Amino acid sequence: MSNDDFRVLTAIEVGSRNHDIVPAPLIAQLSHLRGGGANKRIGDLIKRKLIATEQNSKYKGYKLVYAGYDYLALRTLSKRGTVTSVGNQIGVGKESDIFVVAGEDEKEVVLKLHRLGRQSFRNVKLKRDYFRQDQSPSWMYMSRLSAMKEYAFMKVLYENGFPVPVPVDQNRHCVVMEFVEAFPLRQISQVGEPGKLYSKLMDLIVRLAKYGLIHGDFNEFNILLKDDGTPILIDFPQMVSTSHPNAEFYFNRDVDCIRTFFKRRYNYESVLYPKFGLDSNKEFDLDVQVAASGFTKKDQTQLENYMNELNNHASNSGEDYADEMPSDEEIVYESDEEGENGNEEVLDNTKSATDTDQDSDDEDYIVETDRLGNTIRRKRIPDTDKNDGADV
């Protein structure tokens, strides 16, 4: 793609701040290209499926789609030297895509692209007080907030010694982080000492609370386990402060998720578990540090409103959103032979969500044993899904 193509993409992104559909004259003005040049670039971007044409009651215009947003973010990360090449897609979630990419010195890192609103809720008309009445919600704006929050919390947690991936960079809806050699707890069917791991996880919940934070989604999907038994915490878009009005509810839910999973998966149950108020006395102010890092209270409120409205919609409609796709951080492992094509082919694959079978039949998993004797279950990718992804 040429510099003029990116100038037009950027112009549409800027114009989207005040327009649901950006008219061609405004695109030409913002891109500083004459009308004919801008129109040619618009046509090329439509062919590449990076923008879409829409018509309202007043005029015909254009809007950015996620693939175009991907290109803008990746170009910025490339200029910074954060991402030099894109490799395999290693994970797909209900509202994110995860890739292995090469960073500085060709070191492997993880690229997470937030994609809020791409599933069943993308057609829900959300009523938010921070949008004008004549302006519809922007999923890309919410995805950017989600990425900003994840990076801000990950950075603060890492700087304070919590077991999280090393944060590398963030731009728009993309977060770049360390590649961790570990498996999701969800895929580990046996552990050598379940009681020891249970205690580590409960201590981590308490430690977070003492630092003023509650994960809000502390479960088997968002905990990675390394070969040495060290748990790594991931996925932070739902993290809240202990001063949040619903802090006790979120704290207890995190505790109950671990207790339920250990009882069901490892047949382990303990009468000892942390209680909000008794074990969560705040000693540090990481929530204040996050606000100081640039992710403001207003940003937090906007993202929370989004999450709450999705949960309310799911409750009212009877839909089980969690069953539509794997958790954001449930890794779906591809074969080593795939994903070795050029950047454009990999980027094209980001435009489609990989369908993942949720059944837990044995034939859907590869069973392995790690160095500690833990039994690991890895999700198989059906050949039909692989072929479909290659044709996109």
Side-chain angles (χ1 to χ4, degrees):
M1 284 179 57
S2 68
N3 288 334
D4 286 348
D5 290 326
F6 280 106
R7 288 169 70 178
V8 171
L9 272 180
T10 304
I12 296 175
E13 179 188 25
V14 173
S16 298
R17 296 173 185 173
N18 297 310
H19 299 76
D20 288 342
I21 304 173
V22 185
L26 180 59
I27 296 173
Q29 177 185 348
L30 293 173
S31 64
H32 301 289
L33 296 174
R34 294 187 177 183
N39 289 334
K40 182 180 183 303
R41 300 302 174 187
I42 288 173
D44 291 341
L45 293 173
I46 291 174
K47 290 178 182 178
R48 292 175 179 266
K49 298 182 180 179
L50 303 182
I51 62 174
T53 307
E54 289 208 9
Q55 177 83 44
N56 64 16
S57 59
K58 297 180 180 179
Y59 61 88
K60 175 183 177 181
Y62 307 90
K63 65 190 304 182
L64 202 62
V65 298
Y66 265 122
Y69 208 40
D70 294 346
Y71 270 69
L72 287 172
L74 285 172
R75 189 177 195 236
T76 300
L77 294 171
S78 177
K79 284 185 174 182
R80 294 176 182 172
T82 304
V83 175
T84 58
S85 62
V86 180
N88 295 345
Q89 182 173 1
I90 60 170
V92 59
K94 58 182 178 289
E95 292 190 330
S96 71
D97 286 324
I98 305 167
F99 291 82
V100 172
V101 300
E104 292 182 324
D105 302 324
E106 296 301 313
K107 181 180 179 181
E108 284 190 342
V109 291
V110 170
L111 172 70
K112 180 177 179 181
L113 300 95
H114 290 246
R115 303 200 187 283
L116 273 61
R118 74 176 180 186
Q119 291 301 306
S120 63
F121 295 107
R122 61 178 173 262
N123 294 320
V124 177
K125 184 177 180 181
L126 302 182
K127 300 177 181 177
R128 304 194 183 103
D129 55 7
Y130 48 90
F131 284 104
R132 299 197 319 268
Q133 290 184 352
D134 61 342
Q135 184 181 14
S136 62
S138 167
W139 295 117
M140 291 179 197
Y141 173 72
M142 301 308 299
S143 295
R144 181 177 69 84
L145 285 185
S146 181
M148 286 175 59
K149 178 177 181 179
E150 176 149 47
Y151 184 76
F153 276 95
M154 194 187 310
K155 190 171 185 295
V156 168
L157 289 171
Y158 175 74
E159 290 172 350
N160 285 271
F162 281 87
V164 300
V166 179
V168 178
D169 202 355
Q170 182 263 326
N171 181 258
R172 294 178 173 87
H173 64 314
C174 298
V175 177
V176 183
M177 67 191 82
E178 171 194 17
F179 180 84
V180 180
E181 294 283 355
F183 288 93
L185 187 59
R186 163 73 172 79
Q187 296 178 356
I188 300 178
S189 57
Q190 295 179 6
V191 294
E193 298 180 78
K196 184 177 180 180
L197 179 59
Y198 173 89
S199 297
K200 285 183 179 180
L201 296 178
M202 290 302 181
D203 289 345
L204 185 53
I205 292 176
V206 171
R207 187 182 170 205
L208 282 169
K210 289 184 181 296
Y211 276 74
L213 298 173
I214 298 171
H215 187 276
D217 201 15
F218 197 97
N219 56 46
E220 65 271 23
F221 295 100
N222 297 323
I223 299 167
L224 305 180
L225 196 63
K226 299 177 72 173
D227 284 346
D228 62 2
T230 302
I232 303 295
L233 188 59
I234 56 177
D235 201 24
F236 310 105
Q238 297 196 57
M239 186 165 270
V240 298
S241 168
T242 51
S243 59
H244 189 281
N246 298 323
E248 183 173 1
F249 167 79
Y250 290 123
F251 181 91
N252 291 338
R253 187 175 68 178
D254 284 353
V255 171
D256 290 341
C257 281
I258 297 302
R259 297 186 70 204
T260 300
F261 175 75
F262 269 73
K263 182 178 180 180
R264 182 181 70 248
R265 175 62 60 84
Y266 306 126
N267 196 28
Y268 177 86
E269 188 173 11
S270 174
V271 295
L272 301 177
Y273 57 90
K275 300 175 178 61
F276 188 79
L278 296 177
D279 302 300
S280 60
N281 294 326
K282 187 174 178 180
E283 298 177 2
F284 302 93
D285 294 310
L286 290 195
D287 50 340
V288 177
Q289 290 185 39
V290 169
S293 70
F295 187 77
T296 65
K297 187 175 181 180
K298 178 183 177 182
D299 295 333
Q300 173 74 15
T301 301
Q302 291 176 355
L303 196 57
E304 283 184 12
N305 288 343
Y306 162 81
M307 297 293 185
N308 289 337
E309 290 190 54
L310 290 192
N311 291 334
N312 291 337
H313 174 78
S315 300
N316 294 335
S317 64
E319 296 177 356
D320 189 355
Y321 188 35
D323 287 343
E324 294 187 15
M325 296 193 70
S327 172
D328 279 352
E329 301 295 349
E330 181 179 358
I331 303 300
V332 183
Y333 291 89
E334 306 278 0
S335 65
D336 293 337
E337 292 79 16
E338 293 189 66
E340 296 180 356
N341 298 320
N343 288 1
E344 286 190 11
E345 193 169 353
V346 175
L347 287 170
D348 286 342
N349 288 338
T350 67
K351 291 179 286 186
S352 64
T354 302
D355 293 330
T356 304
D357 187 6
Q358 297 296 304
D359 296 334
S360 58
D361 296 333
D362 291 340
E363 60 268 20
D364 291 337
Y365 291 87
I366 300 171
V367 180
E368 298 179 341
T369 302
D370 66 12
R371 293 196 296 266
L372 295 181
N374 298 327
T375 302
I376 311 296
R377 297 195 306 166
R378 296 195 297 155
K379 188 78 172 179
R380 292 183 186 273
I381 300 296
D383 292 338
T384 55
D385 288 348
K386 293 179 183 177
N387 294 335
D388 290 345
D391 294 337
V392 174

